[in-house]
Structures are given as C-alpha cells and as structure tokens.
C-alpha cells in the first residue's frame, strides 16, 4: 500500500464528527506502517507519517516522543493476538490450520510487508532485533505445542528434536519472504508437510 493509498484509506475509515484519541492513534500507526513498507526505516520521518495520516506533527509527538518509538509500536502488530491454537486430533491437521492462519499474513498482510524492513533494521537496532525475537518466539511456541502434543500421541519417531522440526516447517516461508523472493502460496504448505512429516512421523501419520 502506498502512502497516498494509506491516507485515502484512513480518511474513508474516519467516521463523521471529531475522531477519538484511539481512532487518531490507529490512523497514525497505519500511516507509519504504510510509509515504512514503501520507503524503509531510513525513509520514515514524522513529517511524512503526519501527512499520510492527515494529522499534525504535534499530534504524533503527543503520543510518541520519537520516530523510533512510533515505529516500534507500529511494528508490534507483528505479535498481534493469534488465532486460537488448533486441536484437530492429528499433527497434520493442526499444522495445516497453523499454515492457514499464518500464510495469509505473510502473503498479503502487514507482517509480510514489514518483516523484510524490520529484519534489515534489526541488524543495526537492538530494540527492533528484540521485538523480532519476541515475535519469533511467540509464533514458535504455537508450532512447538502442536508438535509436543503429537509426541504425546505417539505420532513422531523417537528422539525427534522438536525445535529442529519447527525450523524445517517454518524456515522455507521466511527463506522465500526474505531471501529468494519465490512465491508464497497455500500449496507450499502441503509441499513442506509432505517433505517434513515424511521424515519425522510414524507410518500412516505422514499421509494426508
């Protein structure tokens, strides 16, 4: 989304009458995300965020003391409330549900737009790097939980390192998003599951 499109979207969402503080803050955060994804961290200024959101610089500074503080809060959307943890009764079913919840966020959502910029900035900014670590840990907990349940059901071969399996299940997504630029598609999830579960599950549990 371009900065101009973000400004138009913010205006369309704004109800008649004086906006509430919460509405203004949301529009500023949306604008910060739009400017960040379009221009990168180096290109973000309070001036262009204010112009995109249709507010004054003073309005922004009343809420965030620095540009970095604003961007950190905008980036916190990456760790937004996840969907309910799936419990389908099978490892493959649970993993399919996790992919269905996560892939759209990487393909068309704000996380997919922001992560490349955040990873680049995280190499220089410890605060951003810590936020990325929190995001990764929160997401990995979900994958780890469904794998540990599968261990309890006897679906995995003995001695499997759950952390390595999480790496194998999620690593291809981030390789495509951040390195190769190859497409992220719903079909990719099934391809990953065929490869990974074929190596770590017992007998029929690897099948669809």
């Amino acid at each position: 989304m371009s900065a101009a499109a973000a400004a138009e979207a913010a205006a369309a969402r704004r109800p008649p009458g004086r906006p509430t503080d919460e509405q203004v803050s949301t529009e500023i955060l949306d604008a910060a995300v739009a400017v960040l994804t379009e221009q990168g961290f180096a290109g973000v200024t309070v001036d262009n965020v204010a112009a995109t959101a249709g507010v004054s610089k003073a309005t922004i500074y009343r809420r965030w003391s620095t540009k970095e503080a604003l961007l950190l809060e905008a980036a916190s959307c990456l760790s937004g409330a996840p969907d309910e943890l799936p419990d389908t009764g099978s490892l493959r079913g649970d993993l399919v549900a996790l992919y269905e919840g996560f892939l759209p966020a990487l393909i068309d959502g704000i996380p997919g737009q922001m992560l490349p910029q955040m990873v680049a900035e995280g190499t220089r900014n410890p605060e951003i790097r810590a936020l990325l670590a929190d995001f990764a840990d929160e997401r990995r907990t979900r994958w780890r939980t469904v794998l540990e349940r599968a261990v309890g059901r006897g679906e995995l071969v003995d001695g499997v390192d759950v952390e390595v399996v999480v790496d194998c299940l999620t690593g291809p997504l981030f390789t495509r998003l951040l390195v190769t630029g190859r497409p992220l598609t719903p079909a990719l999830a099934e391809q990953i599951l065929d490869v990974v579960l074929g190596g770590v599950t017992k007998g029929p549990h690897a099948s669809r």
Side-chain angles (χ1 to χ4, degrees):
M1 178 186 294
S2 69
E8 291 176 4
R13 287 194 305 271
R14 191 179 296 123
R18 185 179 181 85
T20 66
D21 284 347
E22 183 178 352
Q23 288 168 343
V24 172
S25 296
T26 298
E27 290 172 5
I28 293 170
L29 290 169
D30 287 347
V33 170
V35 175
L36 172 63
T37 56
E38 185 178 72
Q39 301 185 32
F41 273 79
V44 177
T45 67
V46 173
D47 285 308
N48 54 26
V49 172
T52 300
V55 301
S56 68
K57 291 169 57 178
T59 298
I60 294 177
Y61 281 123
R62 280 197 296 270
R63 292 163 170 79
W64 298 277
S65 58
T66 64
K67 175 187 81 171
E68 288 73 22
L70 168 61
L71 289 176
L72 280 170
E73 185 163 343
S76 69
C77 67
L78 291 172
S79 297
D83 296 331
E84 184 176 350
L85 190 66
D87 189 1
T88 66
S90 74
L91 176 57
R92 189 177 190 108
D94 288 348
L95 292 174
V96 166
L98 285 178
Y99 279 122
E100 288 176 347
F102 193 41
L103 264 172
L106 295 182
I107 296 170
D108 298 315
I110 290 175
Q113 297 173 44
M114 293 187 69
L115 271 171
Q117 298 290 348
M118 289 188 65
V119 169
E121 183 65 14
T123 62
R124 301 179 289 273
N125 186 323
E127 289 183 283
I128 297 296
R129 187 162 59 248
L131 191 147
L132 280 169
D134 289 344
F135 167 70
D137 186 63
E138 185 274 324
R139 292 294 171 176
R140 288 179 67 88
T141 296
R142 296 168 60 73
W143 297 80
R144 189 185 304 121
T145 298
V146 300
L147 286 164
E148 288 170 348
R149 286 197 310 226
V151 171
R153 292 191 298 260
E155 289 187 65
L156 299 187
V157 298
D158 296 339
V160 168
D161 188 322
V162 168
E163 293 296 332
V164 172
V165 180
V166 175
D167 289 338
C168 294
L169 290 168
T170 60
L173 307 181
F174 295 105
T175 297
R176 291 194 174 205
L177 178 67
L178 301 171
V179 181
T180 68
R182 296 186 65 191
L184 287 166
T185 65
L188 177 63
E190 292 287 354
Q191 294 168 343
I192 294 170
L193 287 175
D194 287 342
V195 171
V196 176
L197 296 188
V200 300
T201 54
K202 296 177 181 177
H205 295 299
S207 64
R208 288 181 172 79

